[in-house]
Amino acid sequence: MIYFDNNDTTQLHPDVLEAMLPFFKEKYANPASLHNMGLEADSAVDEAREKVAGLIGAKPKELIFTSGATESNNLAIMGSARARSKRKHLIISAVEHASVLNIAKRLEGEGYRVTKLPVDGLGYVSPDSLRDAIDEDTFLVSIIHANHEIGVIQDIKTLADITHERGAWFHTDAAQALGKIPFIVGDLGVDFASFNGHKLHGPKGVGGLFINRKTRPRRLMEGAPQEFELRPGTENVPGIIGFAKAIEIAVRDREEVAAYLKPLVKRLADGLSAIPHTFLNGPPPEERLPGNLNVTMLYIEGEAILMHLSNREICVSSGSACSSKSLTPSPVLTAIGLIHEEAHGAIRFSLSRFNTIEEVEEVIKKTVDVVELLRSMTAFIPELHSERQGGKGFYRER
Ligand SMILES: *Cc1c(COP(=O)(O)O)cnc(C)c1O
């Protein structure tokens, strides 16, 4: 199998598994217990917290462990709404993950005003659009750091500064950013940042939320006083240990992995750009999240390409991982201006440190074959797109 779906999830790094094993076997106590075994588990969790906090430039008290980025996003957004109940306006972008889009939708149902900032043709949020949208009623601005579908990286520092001028809090969904691009909370000026383990070779079902000590969201669940009374429930000790180890490795090897992936992605982009009527969604490779490419192949369905590649032992995603089981096109792709047919022809290739150049060659070859096969079975109407994206070459413009 060739796995090119690393923005969906990743394989566990062997060192992460090694670090977790003792906490499944002999070190299984509840960190809340007062006996020796409990104390040992408690200090392991504390150490993990210190480690992760140190790697993102935070204080240990500013980091809580959660079940993943979905929960962290919910807690940051809903918890801020509850904590600052006098303000009734939320700002997000049009290219957020479903866990942000849908909690925003819930707030809208409760009577909140939600502004969804548009993006340009490459997926960038403009600081001016934030300046125009924000007002004294805004309690939070939530903008994704590195996009899971098209790899666009937002200028978080500028957006956070504008937000603070108006007294609102700033949250970023950094699930794809941490460990892949520089991530220090102080440099970015964020009040909240969401992470998870499984996007960076750590375990699933565990993540974190950075909470600047000047802010405090309201907890969403009631229970025992774990995680500074913000997130009750017995800690996922093996998960937390694995999460911390995964971040440690990712941050340690970040530049080396990015340098390793660069020629692989370049070769993949070159190989795919040779297919006629094909274009890249999002910014050029040198500007985007390492390892990520998203390509529309016109006149065929992304799902069909995905299934044919899957039959040839290659794993990729169509349009959006989250909408791949439904017929609605990805909101990220429609936000950058694609019409339905263009969004439906999109395939995301996402590589990790465990992929190789030989795999890239294999994927290019099989994708060329599959596209040829599928197009030979489709009514081919180039006129449909000559005026649109298809006529503009492989690389896009803002
Ligand atoms: C994967 C992902 C999430 C959801 O994370 P889970 O840990 O699976 O809940 C949220 N945001 C982004 C950008 C993601 O890529």
Side-chain angles (χ1 to χ4, degrees):
M1 270 308 198
I2 297 179
Y3 188 81
F4 273 20
D5 203 10
N6 289 281
N7 289 153
D8 221 20
T9 196
T10 56
Q11 83 176 71
L12 211 59
H13 192 291
D15 295 350
V16 170
L17 178 62
E18 211 50 47
M20 291 170 75
L21 283 175
F23 295 88
F24 284 115
K25 294 190 203 156
E26 61 271 20
K27 300 184 183 183
Y28 51 80
N30 187 327
S33 301
L34 295 177
H35 45 66
N36 279 346
M37 280 178 68
L39 296 177
E40 186 184 33
D42 192 43
S43 43
V45 170
D46 280 349
E47 264 172 49
R49 195 186 312 278
E50 275 165 33
K51 187 189 279 179
V52 176
L55 291 165
I56 62 168
K59 300 264 185 302
K61 277 206 158 164
E62 295 178 311
L63 180 77
I64 67 165
F65 294 116
T66 65
S67 66
T70 296
E71 184 188 335
S72 298
N73 287 342
N74 274 262
L75 178 54
I77 296 170
M78 188 55 97
S80 295
R82 296 290 180 255
R84 310 189 72 182
S85 53
K86 287 208 183 70
R87 295 185 176 217
K88 300 284 185 204
H89 180 221
L90 169 69
I91 298 178
I92 63 172
S93 81
V95 292
E96 299 298 320
H97 185 264
S99 53
V100 169
L101 289 174
N102 288 330
I103 198 67
K105 205 180 276 176
R106 182 184 300 186
L107 282 170
E108 212 164 26
E110 291 182 11
Y112 280 77
R113 209 157 38 97
V114 175
T115 302
K116 224 182 259 182
L117 300 178
V119 294
D120 64 22
L122 297 183
Y124 289 103
V125 172
S126 106
D128 284 337
S129 73
L130 175 57
R131 257 183 222 107
D132 291 345
I134 196 165
D135 58 35
E136 257 61 65
D137 200 33
T138 311
F139 66 92
L140 184 78
V141 175
S142 178
I143 310 284
I144 186 167
H145 192 181
N147 191 271
H148 47 299
E149 291 185 46
I150 55 172
V152 59
I153 298 166
Q154 305 296 342
D155 180 359
I156 293 300
K157 172 77 174 117
T158 300
L159 298 170
D161 287 349
I162 294 167
T163 299
H164 291 143
E165 282 167 20
R166 306 302 294 264
W169 290 345
F170 190 90
H171 166 252
T172 188
D173 175 354
Q176 297 286 350
L178 181 62
K180 296 181 200 159
I181 56 176
F183 192 92
I184 297 292
V185 290
D187 295 349
L188 298 170
V190 297
D191 299 304
F192 302 96
S194 302
F195 318 109
N196 63 14
H198 73 101
K199 303 288 168 68
L200 38 75
H201 307 293
K204 294 170 183 59
V206 63
L209 178 64
F210 161 74
I211 306 173
N212 183 327
R213 64 188 172 289
K214 293 179 215 139
T215 61
R216 187 161 173 95
R218 180 85 58 83
R219 66 171 169 266
L220 304 181
M221 294 189 292
E222 297 301 330
Q226 287 96 349
E227 299 300 310
F228 313 117
E229 300 188 27
L230 281 170
R231 202 276 182 178
T234 301
E235 297 88 341
N236 172 3
V237 182
I240 288 168
I241 302 304
F243 175 54
K245 187 72 185 175
I247 296 173
E248 183 185 11
I249 296 169
V251 170
R252 182 193 70 197
D253 298 347
R254 184 181 64 75
E255 288 179 42
E256 195 185 316
V257 171
Y260 172 75
L261 289 173
K262 208 171 167 183
L264 271 63
V265 169
K266 175 84 175 60
R267 173 67 193 121
L268 184 60
D270 284 349
L272 297 174
S273 69
I275 303 174
H277 311 289
T278 295
F279 61 84
L280 184 67
N281 296 310
E286 61 277 11
E287 268 178 51
R288 60 204 283 154
L289 186 66
N292 168 288
L293 275 188
N294 188 312
V295 176
T296 285
M297 295 158 201
L298 290 170
Y299 320 117
I300 37 182
E301 293 279 316
E303 282 72 25
I305 305 174
L306 184 153
M307 294 317 296
H308 279 265
L309 286 176
S310 177
N311 289 339
R312 289 161 178 76
E313 313 215 300
I314 292 169
C315 300
V316 296
S317 275
S318 60
S320 156
C322 302
S323 55
S324 60
K325 283 183 185 145
S326 73
L327 285 175
T328 38
S330 143
V332 172
L333 297 178
T334 49
I336 59 171
L338 269 59
I339 58 170
H340 284 211
E341 290 84 345
E342 294 163 343
H344 277 306
I347 288 286
R348 182 186 65 190
F349 302 84
S350 48
L351 284 64
S352 83
R353 62 190 298 161
F354 297 115
N355 293 120
T356 63
I357 192 74
E358 289 76 25
E359 289 179 329
V360 170
E361 296 300 344
E362 183 83 12
V363 168
I364 293 169
K365 193 163 127 304
K366 290 193 169 155
T367 306
V368 169
D369 290 350
V370 164
V371 170
E372 244 169 50
L373 173 74
L374 289 170
R375 281 188 182 157
S376 73
M377 311 188 309
T378 317
F380 198 66
I381 19 177
E383 296 76 35
L384 182 65
H385 291 281
S386 56
E387 297 293 309
R388 290 195 48 87
Q389 311 278 4
K392 295 194 228 151
F394 187 70
Y395 293 99
R396 307 282 90 191
E397 280 162 25
R398 279 163 200 261

